Amino acid sequence: MTQTDEPFDGRRWHDMGGQPAGPVPDDQHDFSIWEKRIDALMVISSTKGYFTVDGLRRVLEDMGPDAFDTMTYYERWMASINQNLIEAGVYSTAELAQKMSEVASRGNTYGDAAGG
Amino acid sequence: MPPVGKRHYMRVRADMPPGHVRTPAYLRGKTGWVERVLGPFPNPEQLAYGHQGENLSLMRVRFTMGDIWGAAAENPQDTLDAEIYSHWLEPAEPPHAT
């Protein structure tokens, strides 16, 4: 389908409906445990009232097209959930930094980190 | 599908605000008719920024491909349904002679 001849000044990058597109990849893959956890984190965050799927989408859109090209689907979700949780005051950037440091100190493998 | 004379035609506002909206750009400025009213839902454009969402009517609007894409439409009589919040819609005349 070709784009209409009317220009859409101000159309944002993620608003792709009607734009030229390549083939649709239909390959599937099993989700990793961390991807399932990110999905669960979104459900928990929404259930607890920290933010909604609309907040998730808003940050995904604000990341811009570079993130769409360089990050995987759940990597983008992880970044958006984190941004929304900080905005909601669930934790601070400093608390996040401390926690990341603690987890990293447990070891490099999933098993080491989970067993800490 | 209601008879043409009983359709409530609505035009999608042609606005382009820079924030989070749920109305696709390719439908802005286009006219369709109300297929059904889905009921009140909180405004996602407020929810997206952590605010309480005002309850708005969500409409399922039916467009013809010809009215969306003009001469580029492959099958102009085919229809497309989109669910659009009422603050994006304004009453309109039918977009073409039928």
Side-chain angles (χ1 to χ4, degrees):
Chain A
M1 177 145 315
T2 55
Q3 191 182 358
T4 173
D5 54 3
E6 296 169 39
F8 286 111
D9 290 343
R11 185 184 65 82
R12 299 184 70 203
W13 69 274
H14 59 85
D15 196 348
M16 298 174 179
Q19 297 296 301
V24 178
D26 60 358
D27 53 311
Q28 300 286 329
H29 72 279
D30 287 336
F31 293 111
S32 303
I33 186 71
W34 74 266
E35 292 176 307
K36 294 179 180 178
R37 284 175 169 165
I38 292 298
D39 205 292
L41 193 54
M42 179 64 219
V43 176
I44 293 168
S45 298
S46 178
T47 303
K48 285 185 171 291
Y50 296 141
F51 66 102
T52 66
V53 68
D54 311 287
L56 180 79
R57 290 171 177 150
R58 184 250 314 172
V59 173
L60 293 172
E61 294 165 2
D62 288 351
M63 286 180 194
D66 289 348
F68 192 80
D69 290 334
T70 58
M71 299 166 77
T72 68
Y73 183 85
Y74 278 111
E75 284 172 346
R76 280 178 274 132
W77 270 47
M78 179 161 53
S80 177
I81 290 169
N82 178 58
Q83 175 77 27
N84 274 279
L85 288 175
I86 290 173
E87 288 177 357
V90 178
Y91 52 79
S92 68
T93 309
E95 289 168 333
L96 175 64
Q98 186 176 358
K99 189 68 177 179
M100 289 173 72
S101 177
E102 286 175 16
V103 173
S105 70
R106 293 178 195 158
N108 289 326
T109 70
Y110 217 112
D112 288 342
Chain B
M1 187 177 296
V4 172
K6 294 188 174 178
R7 293 176 184 169
H8 294 286
Y9 283 94
M10 303 290 257
R11 179 176 178 272
V12 183
R13 293 180 59 85
D15 300 338
M16 281 289 172
H20 175 78
V21 300
R22 294 293 296 159
T23 303
Y26 72 89
L27 290 177
R28 299 186 204 171
K30 306 299 183 185
T31 297
W33 66 94
V34 177
E35 192 272 338
R36 72 184 68 184
V37 178
L38 297 161
F41 288 94
N43 183 356
E45 299 171 11
Q46 294 169 308
L47 294 176
Y49 296 93
H51 303 300
Q52 289 285 323
E54 174 192 2
N55 274 332
L56 297 174
S57 216
L58 183 64
M59 314 265 195
R60 185 172 296 161
V61 183
R62 184 162 289 176
F63 304 83
T64 70
M65 288 303 207
D67 288 335
I68 299 174
W69 304 110
E74 294 163 15
N75 298 293
Q77 297 306 312
D78 283 358
T79 58
L80 177 148
D81 288 1
E83 292 170 1
I84 301 175
Y85 285 86
S86 56
H87 67 310
W88 274 91
L89 299 170
E90 49 202 9
E93 295 299 312
H96 55 77
T98 49

